[in-house]
Amino acid sequence: MASLNVGGLGEYLREQRRSAQLSLRQLADAAGVSNPYLSQIERGLRKPSAEVLQQVAKALRISAETLYVRAGILDAERDRDEVETRAVILADPTLNERQKQVLLQIYESFRKENGFGGTEDGAVEAVGPGPGVEAVGPGPGTQASAGTGGRPAERPGHEAGGDDNGPRRTAG
């Protein structure tokens, strides 16, 4: 695991908070962490978890991956492409939060399958679904459906899984 650069992270968080014109208390409330804990992070006295960084990033409306890099959780050079891909997915205004999280899970599963799996310290899990977000397949209006092996859903008016040997109803 990379060593945490909490001093630089704290300064960066303070800059972001001030540019967002938020008080320490306002940011702590928005991120769901205590005021003293956030103060200690800003002063470089505490090492926040990836989950806390994600909550703070969401409250500041910045990329969690940016904070992971600042904290030394993600290596900026080695993981630049991954960070950029995740940032693009998270910034896409045409996707809702659930869709973004499912897409990130799929992206990560492909990376693992290809031998470029997650980090050892749990940073990948932190960008997965949050509490109450269920990882499910494609949403309404998509072509693939569960149980079809990734094949397109049947068109309306066509029976799925039927064969020509069974009984048929005839008009009359």
Side-chain angles (χ1 to χ4, degrees), residues 1-10 13 33 37-57 67-68 70-73 121 123 126:
M1 179 167 90
S3 63
L4 295 178
N5 179 12
V6 291
L9 171 66
L13 282 176
V33 298
Y37 181 62
L38 185 58
S39 174
Q40 290 173 348
I41 293 170
E42 280 194 0
R43 290 181 287 145
L45 302 175
R46 288 287 188 144
K47 298 177 183 180
S49 67
E51 183 178 333
V52 168
L53 289 175
Q54 184 180 23
Q55 291 170 234
V56 170
L67 295 184
Y68 296 158
R70 291 277 179 167
I73 293 173
D121 60 6

Side-chain angles (χ1 to χ4, degrees), residues 51-171:
E51 183 178 333
V52 168
L53 289 175
Q54 184 180 23
Q55 291 170 234
V56 170
K58 186 175 180 181
L60 287 170
R61 297 177 187 233
I62 61 175
S63 165
E65 285 77 13
T66 301
L67 295 184
Y68 296 158
V69 170
R70 291 277 179 167
I73 293 173
L74 288 179
D75 178 26
E77 294 299 318
R78 183 176 56 94
D79 297 324
R80 178 173 287 138
D81 289 341
E82 179 186 2
V83 169
E84 289 175 359
T85 301
R86 290 175 179 278
V88 168
I89 291 169
L90 291 169
D92 189 333
T94 63
L95 300 175
N96 66 37
E97 288 303 312
R98 181 186 153 278
Q99 291 167 332
K100 290 176 186 180
Q101 296 304 326
V102 170
L103 188 54
L104 286 171
Q105 283 183 330
I106 293 168
Y107 172 68
E108 184 58 33
S109 72
F110 285 147
R111 286 181 49 81
K112 285 179 182 176
E113 183 178 307
N114 293 334
F116 297 96
T119 60
E120 297 170 14
D121 60 6
V124 171
E125 288 77 18
V127 295
V133 177
E134 189 175 318
V136 294
T142 57
Q143 290 296 311
S145 64
T148 64
R151 292 175 301 177
E154 296 295 326
R155 291 177 294 174
H158 293 79
E159 293 185 69
D163 62 24
D164 292 331
N165 297 332
R168 295 179 181 251
R169 291 188 185 191
T170 58

